[in-house]
């Protein structure tokens, strides 16, 4: 599954995204997008290399990975439970030192 939400404002040192206050469904260009309950094995923040939105892997740089113990080379699965709010999904982004990149 792929999803695009609002961009993170340029120049911020910290950005807190809250899907309750910033409802991604209203802001995304995918009008019927919903995060489905279940286990999501690879949750990331990616930076686009192009001005236009593209889902082609070559058009993105992975800049943050939901991970175990702060090690971005060890992705952590995210469990979304039906009817429950999921908290504590923290992803650290360092544009100058991105995590290991998956294959193109």
């Amino acid at each position: 599954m792929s999803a695009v939400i609002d961009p993170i404002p340029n120049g911020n040192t910290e950005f807190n995204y809250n899907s309750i206050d910033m409802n991604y469904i209203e802001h995304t260009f995918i009008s019927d997008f919903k995060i489905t309950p279940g286990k999501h094995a690879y949750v990331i923040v990616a930076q686009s290399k192009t001005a236009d939105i593209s889902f082609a892997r070559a058009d993105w740089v992975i800049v943050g990975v939901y991970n175990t113990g702060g090690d971005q080379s060890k992705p952590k699965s995210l469990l979304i439970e039906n009817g429950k709010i999921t908290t504590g999904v923290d992803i650290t982004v360092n544009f100058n030192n991105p995590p290991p990149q998956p294959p193109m």
Side-chain angles (χ1 to χ4, degrees):
M1 169 178 39
S2 300
V4 174
I5 60 171
D6 290 337
I8 297 171
N10 192 22
N12 282 8
T13 57
E14 183 174 324
F15 180 75
N16 293 307
Y17 184 83
N18 180 323
S19 63
I20 294 170
D21 296 333
M22 305 163 157
N23 191 329
Y24 59 87
I25 295 171
E26 294 173 6
H27 297 295
T28 184
F29 68 93
I30 307 171
S31 61
D32 61 347
F33 170 76
K34 292 184 181 166
I35 296 176
T36 56
K39 186 176 181 180
H40 300 270
Y42 191 60
V43 179
I44 62 153
V45 174
Q47 181 180 31
S48 177
K49 296 179 189 178
T50 63
D52 296 323
I53 298 297
S54 164
F55 284 108
R57 171 61 191 96
D59 292 340
W60 295 88
V61 174
I62 308 307
V63 293
V65 178
Y66 183 58
N67 64 74
T68 302
D71 184 346
Q72 295 208 34
S73 69
K74 296 180 180 175
K76 178 180 179 181
S77 293
L78 176 63
L79 179 62
I80 303 292
E81 297 182 74
N82 194 26
K84 293 186 179 181
I85 294 174
T86 303
T87 61
V89 182
D90 298 319
I91 300 175
T92 299
V93 172
N94 182 340
F95 293 103
N96 297 317
N97 186 24
Q101 300 295 298
M104 292 286 176

